[in-house]
Amino acid sequence: MLDKLDFLLALAQERHFGRAAETCGVTQPTLSAGVKQLEDALGVRLVERGSRFHGFTPEGQRALEWARRIVGDARAMRQDIDALKRGVVGHLRIAVIPTALPMVAQLTTPYRAQHPDVRFTILSSTSLDIGAALDNLEIDAGITYLDNEPLGRVSVTPIWREGYRLITAADGEFGARETVTWRDVGRLPLCLLTPDMQNRRIVETLLREAGASPSPTLESNDTVVLLSHVRTGAWSSILQQSFTDVMGLPPNIRSIPIVDPEVVHTVGLVVPHRDPTTPATTALVATAKTLASRLASV
């Protein structure tokens, strides 16, 4: 049954029979037969079929919710039992919004010092994709905004509060300022994250509310690309204070607080809402709380 539920999860992730089979390490006929056996066992049709995958039936969507819960609990049970024998071990997959990527090392480094047998995969992702990946058991945790858009059924651990900074040339129009307003920022040639990023949606809302018309001359889903263009002195951008603190700026570039209004958002760890959690995830939450306390005292 667990294998067949894994097939269902892979199909939800890939939306294609062939790719789902490849993900599961089986042939396409094996996967199709497994899904059909699951339908026979439940007495309902789960998948809309034709020459290709067309989606899930309403019964299939409900079965998918149960599959996520059952498979997630089964994986958690295996890890929990394994931890009794070997301590905290395994593989943590963490998806992170781009603006928070420079901060991840402050979480993973102390974690690994305590649990050296855990390895990590760190992925750059949008906040929306983090939620979907958690639902589909593709990742174990995410680092994202906690207080701006719905998060879904997750457990949250706030880590730090994030303000916004204009990153601009020191000899530019606002380079000598101690603060700038959102209306001021709207007058500059900006390079910003792409519209699928929550940071971009926040920035655009704040610019519009200040009476500015956000019209970036360059977009990217990678903050390194934005920073490299700002370093030329020809562009300005809007990034978080922690990003510039960790990445550093050359002498010809300044990081200036944006006010009127001064906006702050909370960034933190999200993990599946499950009790009990896996030992690796429990340890990750504990490390995040320690990091939050340290950052709050700085």
Side-chain angles (χ1 to χ4, degrees):
M1 176 64 77
L2 283 174
D3 288 344
K4 295 177 180 63
L5 294 177
D6 271 325
F7 292 168
L8 205 64
L9 292 177
L11 196 54
Q13 176 183 338
E14 300 294 343
R15 315 293 293 181
H16 186 277
F17 284 102
R19 291 194 298 270
E22 186 176 345
T23 296
C24 293
V26 299
T27 64
Q28 183 172 331
T30 298
L31 182 134
S32 296
V35 173
K36 182 64 169 62
Q37 289 166 8
L38 186 59
E39 290 178 322
D40 292 342
L42 296 175
V44 294
R45 186 161 53 91
L46 303 176
V47 177
E48 298 285 3
R49 289 184 182 82
S51 56
R52 62 188 64 185
F53 176 79
H54 291 294
F56 292 97
T57 65
E59 295 83 0
Q61 291 289 352
R62 183 59 60 86
L64 190 58
E65 293 175 14
W66 280 103
R68 287 167 178 155
R69 185 181 306 177
I70 293 167
V71 172
D73 285 347
R75 291 178 184 177
M77 181 187 69
R78 284 194 291 266
Q79 291 178 33
D80 199 10
I81 299 303
D82 198 33
L84 293 175
K85 297 186 297 181
R86 299 192 291 156
V88 179
V89 297
H91 179 200
L92 279 174
R93 302 158 298 172
I94 307 173
V96 185
I97 55 174
T99 51
L101 281 168
M103 292 288 289
V104 177
Q106 296 193 47
L107 180 67
T108 55
T109 303
Y111 184 104
R112 191 173 183 278
Q114 289 190 302
H115 309 290
D117 293 323
V118 175
R119 62 188 180 93
F120 298 92
T121 295
I122 308 298
L123 304 167
S124 177
S125 181
T126 70
S127 55
L128 292 176
D129 286 342
I130 288 173
L134 283 170
D135 283 344
N136 288 328
L137 307 181
E138 299 167 42
I139 59 173
D140 303 290
I143 296 177
T144 185
Y145 295 105
L146 301 184
D147 54 5
N148 189 60
E149 295 181 351
L151 295 170
R153 194 169 181 270
V154 295
S155 297
V156 304
T157 303
I159 302 179
W160 72 90
R161 299 274 285 166
E162 194 68 273
Y164 293 84
R165 298 291 186 271
L166 171 67
I167 314 302
T168 194
D171 60 358
E173 181 177 358
F174 301 124
R177 294 269 200 96
E178 292 304 312
T179 62
V180 292
T181 68
W182 286 97
R183 181 182 286 274
D184 291 334
V185 171
R187 291 161 40 190
L188 295 172
L190 295 173
C191 54
L192 299 175
L193 288 169
T194 48
D196 58 325
M197 300 291 177
Q198 188 172 170
N199 170 275
R200 171 65 177 276
R201 296 193 290 275
I202 292 170
V203 165
E204 283 201 344
T205 298
L206 290 166
L207 288 171
R208 288 196 181 97
E209 289 177 349
S213 177
S215 54
T217 55
L218 183 145
E219 298 176 335
S220 176
N221 62 358
D222 191 328
T223 47
V224 173
V225 173
L226 301 186
L227 195 56
S228 68
H229 280 79
V230 172
R231 284 173 181 268
T232 69
W235 271 278
S236 298
S237 190
I238 301 169
L239 294 169
Q240 278 79 358
Q241 179 182 357
S242 65
F243 184 93
T244 55
D245 288 347
V246 174
M247 298 300 290
L249 295 173
N252 66 317
I253 301 297
R254 289 200 60 213
S255 171
I256 306 172
I258 307 175
V259 298
D260 194 23
E262 185 174 358
V263 178
V264 178
H265 285 103
T266 302
V267 178
L269 183 74
V270 292
V271 299
H273 185 72
R274 179 176 294 118
D275 186 20
T277 59
T278 67
T281 300
T282 300
L284 186 65
V285 171
T287 306
K289 289 179 178 177
T290 301
L291 174 59
S293 297
R294 181 171 66 81
L295 293 175
S297 65
V298 173

